[in-house]
Each structure stands twice: as C-alpha cells, then as structure tokens.
Amino acid sequence: MAGRAWKFKDDIDTDAIIPGRYLVMNDPQELAAHLFEGVRPEMAGAVKEGDYVVAGENFGCGSSREHAPLALKGAGISAVLAKSFARIFFRNAINIGLPLFICPDVDRIEEGAYIEIDMAGGVIKNITRNESYKTTPLPDFLREIVNAGGLVEYTRLQVSGVRA
C-alpha cells in the first residue's frame, strides 16, 4: 500500500510525538487525536491510514513511553523510516506492532511524497520520484512480532501453537 510521507528532522522526541499531558490515555485512537499536537497540529486531522513518518537521526528519543508509538499506530501510520532510532522507542514500536526502518536515504524523500515499503525485501519505493532505497529488512523474528500485531498477540499465537 502506498502512503504519503510526513517529514520530520532529527531528534524528534516522544514529547513531540505525544505531549505528556495525554499520558493518562491508553487508547491508540484517543492518543492519535493529539499526534504531534505541539509541533504539527494539522497532522492529527489530516493523516490517513497507510501514511508514513519519515525522519532524520534519533527518532523517538526522550522518555521511554509506549504512548508515542501507540499514537502513531492509532493514527494509521504504516511505518516510520528514519536514519536512526532511540533504542527504547524502537523496542516499544516493535512491541506494539509498528514497523520501523533505518534508511540513510530519507533525505531524498520529500514531504508529501508517496512511498511504499517491501518489508521482507528491505526496499523503500519513492513513487513520487520513481526511486528505490535500501533498508535493512526487519529480522524474521521481529517481522513475525509486527505481523502478529505486537508482542502480546505474538505471544498468544506462540502459546496456541500458531505461527505469525
């Protein structure tokens, strides 16, 4: 599925993704209504299912709250592409089933570009520019967690003997 790119710079912290005053909420759709409220207030109302967040270095730095990837997933973001991620954000995102991709070429993706990702093959297609970029594909075990919808669902499947 192709989606629109929402472009961000370096060092986007979890407070920018979802302001701390909303940490009393746990529902992904409720959190999504406040996505990037302090830095891009128009985004929450305009993001569409299947869109992507594209950022620079150190995306998800700051507090180790699960609310940030929950808000992204609740808004319908398909994946986040960045040059690098804060480690705890990376783990929190995978744990809730939000795929993340490290791509050194994100600077070539412009705001509003239409992109799609071949998760298994590690290819990002910039449909707008007719270009492709390599990303390290998620290892099989992480892709299984994402495909299951997160670590809780993955564990349920494992306990029941079903493969994700």
Side-chain angles (χ1 to χ4, degrees), residues 105-122:
D105 296 315
V106 292
D107 292 336
R108 300 202 43 82
I109 301 172
E110 298 153 345
E111 173 78 23
Y114 279 85
I115 58 177
E116 63 184 7
I117 300 173
D118 173 358
M119 207 169 18

Side-chain angles (χ1 to χ4, degrees), residues 6 26 31 48 50 53 60 68 81 87 119-120 132 137-138 142 150 158:
W6 293 86
N26 288 311
L31 289 165
K48 292 187 175 30
V53 168
L81 293 68
R87 286 189 303 172
M119 207 169 18
S132 293
L138 289 175
L142 291 182
Q158 293 300 308

Side-chain angles (χ1 to χ4, degrees), residues 59-132:
F59 187 85
C61 59
S63 302
S64 61
R65 58 181 64 141
E66 298 86 2
H67 296 75
L70 276 174
L72 290 163
K73 189 173 181 181
I77 296 296
S78 289
V80 180
L81 293 68
K83 288 184 179 180
S84 66
F85 294 93
R87 286 189 303 172
I88 193 70
F89 178 86
F90 186 93
R91 194 64 225 177
N92 285 337
I94 296 299
N95 284 348
I96 60 114
L98 178 67
L100 305 178
F101 297 94
I102 296 171
C103 178
D105 296 315
V106 292
D107 292 336
R108 300 202 43 82
I109 301 172
E110 298 153 345
E111 173 78 23
Y114 279 85
I115 58 177
E116 63 184 7
I117 300 173
D118 173 358
M119 207 169 18
V123 177
I124 299 164
K125 294 179 185 171
N126 184 336
I127 297 165
T128 301
R129 284 188 154 194
N130 195 27
E131 295 178 348
S132 293

